[in-house]
């Protein structure tokens, strides 16, 4: 093992011990880490900046050797890590990485061992686990609703809870980066790639929820990655298959940047670029390759000091610049020049590495530029405590009852009752059987057992596929004649004429129709007037359907609100942002009272006692009454229980105050408790010289947001 690898390994070993500490920088810390980076070869620097997927279910798995060899020239995941001195890996089901929590945890441990024996620097182990339609890890991992369902709750506490669930479960499996949250405002109803993944269209709400998700994830020592900068929500082209171009009107751009500003303020570890051209920022290059976007806007204007990553470099957008074809080497060099620290999933790693080597030889890139990024990566690995296995929760947290309850709460509170003429809901069990039908792609069969469990008698008519056939539509119409109500589930109503025909034909039959929009709520634009009730559920998963079942049965009262605006082609607003029929009782929370006595230690927060309102002090629930307080505090209010109450629209629900500082006790003249240089005394006898030096470096390099 080289000197640089020994030092890097010591750095990694010390990280787990020092994660809770927050000492001030020491004079030699920067020199120590600089020595680690300076001793790396050019290929090791490039490797730290390269994060790719590997094929196999364990580090030494040879069952996918043909795929690894075709792409990387070696047989096993461990050999890929060592061959390229990789900085990180990505997990995918199609690569054989995600069979079970136990298998994932074993793969993570094996890859970290391979990194230790090879590059000597611990790995970033990453996954796309947003919730909803982008969830690479399946059962028994907790099934969470997607971003727009969460956005429909308008609840930052649920957003933080979602992040905590994701973080705890990923950490248990040895994963230390989640490519989430999606910080894009979905302002284009025809967006083919963001849609339900977005939290919504209101900048302030999406910013607040994004920040809460970041804080929840990172509270579990898993890095969050806000994406896709500077905003992919106003596009009508999927960057996986084409190159989106948007004008980037200054006012619109400012709105799309607001969630990213909030993520930066919340201390997000990573920001991912978008493969889109924003003409007002750079008319020639997509954000991933644009210095104006990644350096000028993100680094300089937004003040982001964390890691910048490309989106996956194997997406088609970067190969479709008009009149300017780029190969994989060109793309890697341009991304680094633009300001990216991480080359994520280059389709040809050898070509990317060769391109960077050639750019170093010609002076297009400098070693100093690579060292700048690798230093940031190593600082992040130290701060996050990579390899801190003793700090991970056990696998029993994966899919735990507590976590499933968070998912259920998001689903139930997100379901939005857009229309209810009659009213039709809740459905009456005594009225007769309910017919469940719909587009096969919306999975209506998942709803049947859930409604049965809610006490309703259910019959069903099912057909696979996205487009209901003529024969199927006739069968549903016939079955509807004997039902008390028909629940139709659709997921692509605007774009699918057969789904529209099913809805229209069944609604014309006279039996009340409850339409569940499991796709985007923009589908409401083509819902015929004959449909009695409309619910937006924002997803086809079982947990999303369970939220619908709770509303249909009346066990759950609807509280969800549309996180986007729905307009007709002529611009008429059909359903306003924030609208939704809510059957819970409205309550306005009184403000908390702050008692601030300058120069004393008797400061306090007075929390009111109000039915239907719960208060949190700095994110923790508190009982009504007086609570001691100091420094900067935040009091928030929320409906309690949310199944019976909702806060009045526009009612203040957050109050901040900074108390005057009381007189401080005299400072001690020297380090307390036998500490030396900010380290606790208990560490010193056990630490060898190399580990101690690395430990000091770790403490000093913790990023300060």
């Amino acid at each position: 093992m080289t000197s640089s690898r020994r030092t890097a390994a010591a750095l990694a070993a010390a990280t787990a011990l020092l994660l809770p500490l927050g000492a001030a920088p020491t004079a030699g810390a920067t020199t120590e880490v600089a020595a680690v980076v300076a001793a790396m070869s050019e290929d090791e620097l490039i490797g730290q900046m390269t994060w790719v997927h590997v094929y196999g279910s364990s580090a030494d798995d040879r069952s996918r050797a043909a795929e690894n060899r075709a792409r990387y020239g070696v047989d096993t995941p461990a050999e890929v890590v060592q061959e390229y001195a990789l900085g990180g890996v990505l997990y995918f089901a199609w690569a054989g990485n995600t069979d079970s929590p136990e298998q994932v945890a074993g793969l993570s441990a094996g890859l970290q061992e391979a990194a230790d024996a090879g590059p000597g620097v611990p790995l970033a182990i990453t996954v796309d686990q947003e919730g909803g339609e982008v969830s690479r890890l399946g059962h028994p991992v907790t099934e969470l609703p997607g971003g727009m369902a969460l956005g429909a709750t308008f609840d930052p506490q649920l957003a933080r809870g979602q992040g905590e669930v994701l973080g705890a479960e990923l950490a248990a499996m040895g994963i230390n980066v989640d490519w989430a949250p999606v910080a894009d405002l979905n302002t284009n109803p025809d967006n083919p790639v963001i849609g339900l993944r977005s939290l919504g269209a209101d900048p302030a709400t999406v910013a607040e929820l994004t920040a809460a998700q970041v804080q929840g994830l990172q509270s579990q020592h898993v890095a969050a990655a806000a994406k896709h900068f500077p905003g992919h929500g106003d596009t009508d082209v999927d960057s996986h298959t084409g190159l989106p171009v948007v004008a980037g009107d200054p006012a619109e751009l400012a709105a799309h940047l607001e969630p990213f500003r909030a993520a930066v303020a919340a201390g997000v570890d990573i920001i991912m670029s978008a493969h889109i051209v924003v003409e007002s920022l750079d008319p020639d290059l997509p954000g991933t390759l644009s210095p104006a976007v990644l350096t000028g806007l993100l680094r300089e204007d937004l003040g982001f000091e964390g890691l910048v990553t490309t989106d996956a470099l194997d997406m088609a957008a970067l190969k479709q610049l008009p009149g300017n074809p780029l190969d994989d080497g060109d793309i890697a060099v341009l991304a680094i020049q633009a300001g990216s620290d991480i080359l994520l999933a280059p389709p040809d790693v050898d070509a990317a590495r060769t391109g960077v080597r050639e750019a170093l030889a010609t002076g297009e890139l400098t070693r100093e530029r690579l060292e700048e990024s690798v230093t940031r990566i190593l600082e992040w690995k130290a701060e996050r405590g990579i390899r801190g296995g003793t700090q991970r929760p056990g696998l029993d947290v994966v899919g735990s009852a507590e976590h499933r309850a968070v998912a259920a709460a998001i689903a139930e509170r997100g379901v939005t009752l857009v229309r209810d003429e009659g009213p039709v809901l809740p459905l009456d069990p005594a009225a007769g059987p309910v017919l469940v039908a719909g587009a096969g792609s919306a999975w209506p069969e998942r709803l049947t057992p859930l409604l049965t469990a809610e006490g309703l008698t259910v019959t069903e008519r099912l057909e696979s596929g996205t487009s209901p056939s003529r024969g199927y539509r006739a069968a549903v119409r016939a079955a509807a004649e004997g039902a008390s109500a028909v629940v139709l589930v659709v997921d692509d109503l605007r774009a699918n004429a057969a789904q529209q025909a099913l809805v229209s034909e069944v609604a014309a039959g006279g039996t009340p129709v409850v339409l569940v929009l499991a796709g985007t709520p923009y589908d409401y634009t083509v819902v015929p007037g004959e449909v009695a009730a409309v619910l937006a559920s924002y997803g086809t998963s079982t947990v999303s359907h369970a939220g619908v079942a709770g509303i249909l049965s009346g066990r759950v009262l609807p509280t969800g609100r549309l996180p986007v605006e729905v307009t007709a082609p002529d611009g008429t607003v059909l359903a306003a942002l924030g609208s939704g029929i809510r059957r819970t009782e409205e309550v306005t929370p009184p403000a908390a009272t702050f008692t601030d006595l300058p120069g004393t230690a008797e400061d306090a927060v007075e929390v009111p006692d109000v039915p239907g309102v719960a208060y949190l002090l700095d994110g923790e629930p508190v009982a009504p009454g007086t609570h001691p307080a100091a420094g900067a505090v935040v009091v928030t209010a929320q409906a309690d229980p949310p199944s019976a109450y909702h806060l009045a629209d526009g009612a203040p629900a957050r109050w901040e105050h900074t108390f005057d500082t009381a007189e401080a006790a005299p400072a001690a003249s020297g380090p307390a408790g036998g500490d030396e240089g900010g380290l606790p005394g208990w560490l010193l006898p056990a630490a060898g010289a190399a580990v101690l030096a690395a430990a000091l470096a770790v403490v000093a390099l913790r990023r300060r947001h």
Side-chain angles (χ1 to χ4, degrees):
M1 183 179 288
T2 67
S3 173
S4 66
R5 290 177 181 172
R6 282 194 297 272
T7 309
L11 186 70
T15 297
L17 295 174
L18 297 171
L19 186 63
L21 302 180
T26 60
T30 299
T31 302
E32 180 69 29
V33 170
V36 174
V37 176
M40 288 182 170
S41 68
E42 288 183 353
D43 280 356
E44 287 175 324
L45 293 172
I46 297 167
Q48 276 300 302
M49 298 174 69
T50 304
W51 299 12
V52 300
H53 72 268
V54 292
Y55 294 96
S57 60
S58 69
D60 298 319
D61 182 6
R62 294 183 179 274
S63 67
R64 307 290 293 268
E67 291 156 294
N68 280 322
R69 183 161 289 279
R71 192 174 182 100
Y72 306 116
V74 294
D75 292 341
T76 69
E79 290 169 345
V80 177
V81 169
Q82 294 172 346
E83 173 70 17
Y84 292 97
L86 289 180
V89 296
L90 294 78
Y91 285 170
F92 291 101
W94 49 259
N97 306 146
T98 61
D99 295 338
S100 70
E102 293 77 12
Q103 171 269 317
V104 173
L107 174 60
S108 298
L111 291 178
Q112 293 291 14
E113 291 177 6
D116 184 54
V121 179
L123 278 172
I125 298 181
T126 79
V127 72
D128 273 298
Q129 193 75 2
E130 300 171 8
E133 58 190 356
V134 179
S135 298
R136 310 301 186 196
L137 300 162
H139 182 79
V141 173
T142 298
E143 182 182 56
L144 286 155
M148 200 166 283
L150 179 60
T153 72
F154 285 76
D155 189 337
Q157 297 302 323
L158 276 179
R160 178 171 178 119
Q162 184 244 33
E164 290 174 351
V165 169
L166 285 170
E169 297 196 4
L170 296 181
M173 293 178 278
I175 297 168
N176 46 52
V177 176
D178 189 6
W179 300 119
V182 174
D184 303 306
L185 296 183
N186 200 82
T187 57
N188 189 331
D190 296 321
N191 196 321
V193 65
I194 303 301
L196 291 176
R197 299 166 65 194
S198 168
L199 290 159
D202 177 60
T205 301
V206 175
E208 183 177 31
L209 298 182
T210 296
Q213 287 178 291
V214 167
Q215 291 164 344
L217 264 166
Q218 295 187 173
S219 73
Q220 306 303 306
H221 309 301
V222 171
K227 60 187 185 184
H228 309 80
F229 187 83
H232 207 319
D234 191 28
T235 61
D236 58 6
V237 173
D238 184 348
S239 51
H240 291 84
T241 58
L243 177 63
V245 179
V246 297
D249 171 84
E252 293 180 2
L253 180 61
H256 285 270
L257 290 176
E258 193 168 331
F260 293 99
R261 291 186 188 277
V264 171
V268 69
D269 283 5
I270 304 173
I271 288 182
M272 177 184 286
S273 66
H275 301 334
I276 67 171
V277 173
V278 181
E279 291 179 324
S280 64
L281 297 174
D282 188 331
D284 300 316
L285 291 173
T288 296
L289 308 181
S290 171
V293 174
L294 298 190
T295 299
L297 181 58
L298 180 56
R299 290 286 189 206
E300 296 172 3
D301 291 355
L302 270 64
F304 181 58
E305 297 179 355
L307 297 180
V308 176
T309 181
T310 69
D311 200 346
L313 294 178
D314 56 4
M315 295 161 62
L318 301 181
K319 298 287 182 68
Q320 297 189 12
L321 298 185
N324 187 19
L326 299 173
D327 62 27
D328 292 313
D330 297 328
I331 289 170
V333 172
L334 286 170
I336 296 170
Q337 289 175 330
S340 188
D341 301 305
I342 298 163
L343 302 175
L344 188 64
D348 187 333
V349 179
D350 287 320
R353 182 167 64 176
T354 298
V356 175
R357 285 172 177 166
E358 292 175 351
L360 289 168
T362 62
E364 290 179 82
L365 285 174
T366 64
R367 180 184 172 93
E368 289 73 23
R369 171 64 191 89
L370 301 191
E371 289 183 350
E372 175 189 333
S373 284
V374 174
T375 297
R376 267 195 290 264
I377 291 168
L378 294 186
E379 288 176 1
W380 166 76
K381 289 181 176 180
E383 180 185 2
R384 275 288 152 235
I386 308 302
R387 300 285 293 278
T390 58
Q391 298 190 18
R392 294 177 189 157
L395 284 173
D396 57 345
V397 306
V398 177
S400 67
E402 180 183 359
H403 288 181
R404 294 196 308 273
V406 173
I410 294 169
E412 291 174 354
R413 291 179 55 194
V415 174
T416 307
L417 182 56
V418 184
R419 179 194 298 177
D420 190 13
E421 297 178 354
V424 176
L425 301 181
L427 298 175
D428 182 1
V434 174
L435 173 65
V436 170
S441 54
W443 294 88
E445 63 268 34
R446 290 174 173 166
L447 191 55
T448 298
L450 297 166
L451 287 175
T452 301
E454 296 282 357
L456 294 164
T457 301
V458 183
T459 62
E460 62 182 12
R461 293 293 184 275
L462 304 174
E463 182 183 66
S464 61
T466 301
S467 302
S469 68
R470 187 183 300 274
Y472 173 70
R473 301 199 306 262
V476 174
R477 289 199 309 272
E481 295 178 2
S484 62
V486 182
V487 178
L488 291 179
V489 189
V490 295
D491 67 340
D492 194 21
L493 197 61
R494 282 189 309 148
N496 190 289
Q499 289 190 24
Q500 293 178 34
L502 173 67
V503 174
S504 297
E505 292 167 9
V506 176
T511 303
V513 170
V514 180
L515 183 63
V516 179
L517 303 178
T520 67
Y522 306 114
D523 283 344
Y524 188 62
T525 58
V526 294
V527 175
E530 293 82 7
V531 171
V534 180
L535 291 168
S537 68
Y538 314 102
T540 63
S541 65
T542 298
V543 70
S544 294
H545 283 333
V548 170
I551 301 293
L552 293 179
S553 71
R555 178 180 57 82
V556 178
L557 296 177
T559 60
R561 294 183 285 154
L562 286 177
V564 298
E565 181 178 83
V566 180
T567 60
D570 64 1
T572 303
V573 176
L574 301 177
L577 190 154
S579 65
I581 300 170
R582 289 183 281 178
R583 300 269 165 76
T584 50
E585 184 178 342
E586 183 174 281
V587 61
T588 299
T593 303
F594 302 97
T595 301
D596 192 346
L597 302 175
T600 77
E602 300 176 3
D603 298 333
V605 174
E606 180 74 24
V607 173
D609 187 358
V610 184
V613 180
Y615 289 84
L616 297 92
L617 177 59
D618 291 332
E620 297 296 328
V622 291
T626 302
H627 301 271
V633 299
V634 176
V635 177
T636 53
Q638 61 186 26
D640 181 41
S643 59
Y645 296 92
H646 69 268
L647 300 187
D649 290 347
R654 177 185 173 92
W655 302 272
E656 300 182 37
H657 184 80
T658 301
F659 290 95
D660 289 333
T661 305
E663 286 189 28
S669 58
D675 286 0
E676 180 176 328
L679 290 174
W682 57 262
L683 180 61
L684 296 177
V691 173
L692 177 58
L696 290 171
V698 173
V699 174
L701 286 169
R702 293 172 59 86
R703 289 202 311 276
R704 296 172 296 282
H705 294 288

